[in-house]
Amino acid sequence: MKNKLLTISKIGLLAFTILVSQACQEDYEMVDPPMITDYDDDLDEEVVLQKGLESYFVTQFGEGDMDGTSWDQAMDVAGFRKLLSGSIDLSKSTIYMSQGKYVMSETGGLGVIIRKDIKAIKGGYSLLSEGTDLTNRRIDTYKTVISGDVNGNNQADSGDCGLLLVKGGIIGIEGVTFQYGYLSNNDAKSNECGSGIYINGNVNSTSVELTDCIIRDCKTEAVNGQGGVAGGTAILIASGSSKLNNVKFLDNAADSRGGAIRCNSNKAVVFMNNCLITGNSVRELFGVGIQISSGHICMNNTTIVGNPGKGAALNGGGSFMLANSTIVGHDIAQEYGAFRCETSIDGDTKFINNLLISENSTAPSFILNGANKEAYSMGYNLYQRVNNFTMDVSDTAYPTLVNGNLTEEGVYKWNIDQIGQVGGYATKQAVINAVKSFNPAASPMVNLGEVFVEWMGEDAFGLDQRGVTRNPDKMQMGAYDAVLSN
């Protein structure tokens, strides 16, 4: 009888959460069903987490004994927090998470602190999963949300918490939405901050790799001038790296310095492939989408568009390697445009086969700002205007705003026929060679471009952001490719 009641309860809960998810599909808000039980992070004395398991199972409210050994004994959100922050070795463990909303603290302030390797955290499993079955997984339907919404009002504001503070460890996360992370200016510290994911550990052993994830609706009110705590609403890296594959950054807000992402030391590295950054904002200046104050970024097949604010969509004094990407400046009232670069002469900034445009009729597509600064166009970019810089002969100038639009797939689609005469088209091999040549002297990883290519694989440079195979001998500029004929 007990098992029948449990099954009926699960079916009712699943139906309820699916209806709510469909009603709030656009912003992924989830309304909690009535709570049956509640535990703090110390856990009940009878709940003993099993050590050394290859698999741990988590549901929002837990099941059975909540020791995490199966879906029928799944730990709850308090157990999940304890598992992440505690001493249990997870270097060979995968944590499986069902649909639900997992708030990272019982109170406002900082989120969960992690100091260890975690093989994988995987979201998107059905609430009806039983035993150790892993077949019922659909990340877009069974949304797993790591949330900062302590006060339960479905927005990031006072009383809410940050999400993850990673101070050590190599961590993989797949199929998870991060939402409503919040950081007040009072809670921001030079070595502990971040409304979303904050990374600050040993540069050689601290990394977060996200695959098929979303970071959205987070907010940081930390201001500039307090030790690099401002900005980087979704991801803020002081020391370490983040590898991002098919990650969407949506509607995050900062006071300044990076509406979505920020690096603020030479020990910070970001890899991006097939990513979308849109709807993010800064109240003050610089890096409305991404701010690389210092540090290093490698980007392929990424779209940055529709991020309102001041001070360029992409900005900073670090080193940039941009390939096959689309950057559209949405800085209507300012002069900075799409990409404002302040890389010093001992740095290394290169870009090849990108679409660099501004919605402002006079703002530059690219500006090299300041004295003793240096960057290199490796060719085949489409741009409107540049300041203090000379483009390559194979680049194409097109002063008029390109007629394109952001599709439901998250890519900026545009027709190259509107351009007319083109300076040149990139080949797949030319892009690979350019990326491999990227080697900033200050990078904590030697031959950084080669490391980036190894992480993605060379075939990724022959696809567009949608996964469509490009003509390897004639590739369209930017993250969208209509597959051009020779």
Side-chain angles (χ1 to χ4, degrees), residues 181 194-197 215 218-220 231-235 252-254 258-261 281:
S195 54
I197 300 173
I215 308 180
C218 297
K219 184 178 182 179
T220 174
T233 313
I235 296 178
N252 302 289
I261 297 171
S281 62

Side-chain angles (χ1 to χ4, degrees), residues 2-204:
K2 181 179 178 181
N3 288 337
K4 289 182 179 179
L5 289 173
L6 181 61
T7 301
I8 292 171
S9 176
K10 279 188 173 183
I11 292 172
L13 183 60
L14 178 62
F16 178 86
T17 51
I18 287 176
L19 285 172
V20 171
S21 178
Q22 290 174 342
C24 305
Q25 187 172 16
E26 184 175 347
D27 58 6
Y28 303 155
E29 294 176 0
M30 305 183 71
V31 178
D32 298 338
M35 289 189 68
I36 300 170
T37 184
D38 187 23
Y39 295 95
D40 62 24
D41 277 359
D42 292 331
L43 300 180
D44 189 280
E45 290 182 358
E46 297 181 358
V47 179
V48 178
L49 299 180
Q50 299 295 311
K51 297 183 179 181
L53 300 180
E54 290 186 3
S55 301
Y56 290 89
F57 297 84
V58 184
T59 62
Q60 183 175 344
F61 303 111
E63 301 285 350
D65 292 334
M66 296 197 297
D67 61 8
T69 54
S70 69
W71 291 119
D72 307 309
Q73 307 296 329
M75 63 182 65
D76 65 357
V77 63
F80 175 62
R81 293 193 297 253
K82 187 88 169 184
L83 187 64
L84 297 183
S85 62
S87 60
I88 293 177
D89 181 6
L90 298 175
S91 61
K92 298 180 180 179
S93 301
T94 299
I95 302 170
Y96 299 99
M97 303 179 69
S98 75
Q99 176 183 13
K101 180 178 177 179
Y102 300 83
V103 180
M104 289 294 97
S105 177
E106 296 291 332
T107 61
L110 301 174
V112 171
I113 297 176
I114 303 175
R115 295 183 173 90
K116 61 188 178 184
D117 293 349
I118 302 176
K119 179 182 177 182
I121 299 171
K122 296 186 177 183
Y125 291 91
S126 169
L127 284 168
L128 293 180
S129 298
E130 295 180 336
T132 58
D133 177 51
L134 300 174
T135 59
N136 199 356
R137 187 190 192 206
R138 285 182 284 171
I139 63 175
D140 293 329
T141 301
Y142 307 130
K143 294 183 177 68
T144 299
V145 180
I146 290 179
S147 174
D149 190 24
V150 177
N151 61 26
N153 65 353
N154 293 325
Q155 61 183 6
D157 57 9
S158 180
D160 291 333
C161 68
L163 302 181
L164 301 178
L165 285 79
V166 180
K167 294 190 171 184
I170 309 297
I171 301 166
I173 305 176
E174 302 176 19
V176 170
T177 293
F178 298 85
Q179 190 173 30
Y180 301 139
Y182 173 78
L183 179 72
S184 70
N185 191 50
N186 288 336
D187 287 327
K189 302 175 183 177
S190 60
N191 62 343
E192 286 187 349
C193 58
S195 54
I197 300 173
Y198 175 66
I199 301 171
N200 188 7
N202 184 296
V203 67
N204 297 312

Side-chain angles (χ1 to χ4, degrees), residues 231-416:
T233 313
I235 296 178
L236 175 57
I237 307 177
S239 178
S241 65
S242 185
K243 298 176 180 178
L244 311 170
N245 188 31
N246 191 29
V247 178
K248 296 178 180 178
F249 298 83
L250 311 176
D251 304 321
N252 302 289
D255 184 79
S256 68
R257 270 71 178 179
I261 297 171
R262 184 183 185 186
C263 293
N264 63 6
S265 87
N266 282 332
K267 296 180 180 179
V269 176
V270 178
F271 287 173
M272 302 183 71
N273 182 54
N274 289 2
C275 293
L276 170 66
I277 298 179
T278 190
N280 306 279
S281 62
V282 295
R283 186 181 67 85
E284 292 291 342
L285 276 170
F286 300 126
V288 186
I290 299 176
Q291 170 74 15
I292 308 296
S293 300
S294 55
H296 321 278
I297 184 169
C298 297
M299 179 188 299
N300 180 63
N301 277 339
T302 289
T303 295
I304 306 176
V305 61
N307 299 283
K310 308 172 185 177
L314 177 64
N315 183 80
S319 293
F320 302 79
M321 179 67 247
L322 313 180
N324 297 334
S325 292
T326 297
I327 303 172
V328 182
H330 192 66
D331 196 354
I332 300 296
Q334 295 289 322
E335 71 271 24
Y336 299 114
F339 181 15
R340 179 177 178 266
C341 176
E342 295 182 318
T343 306
S344 63
I345 56 175
D346 57 350
D348 191 10
T349 284
K350 297 174 179 175
F351 47 100
I352 183 170
N353 202 46
N354 301 286
L355 176 63
L356 304 172
I357 57 176
S358 172
E359 293 180 347
N360 185 312
S361 61
T362 60
S365 301
F366 178 84
I367 177 172
L368 189 62
N369 188 65
N372 298 317
K373 309 299 181 182
E374 192 170 64
Y376 299 93
S377 169
M378 307 301 284
Y380 315 109
N381 301 284
L382 180 66
Y383 68 99
Q384 293 162 304
R385 295 162 295 276
V386 296
N387 286 358
N388 305 322
F389 188 75
T390 301
M391 298 293 283
D392 187 81
V393 293
S394 64
D395 292 320
T396 300
Y398 184 71
T400 305
L401 179 64
V402 171
N403 184 17
N405 65 283
L406 185 65
T407 71
E408 292 183 358
E409 297 171 291
V411 62
Y412 188 83
K413 181 179 180 180
W414 63 286
N415 188 342
I416 198 169

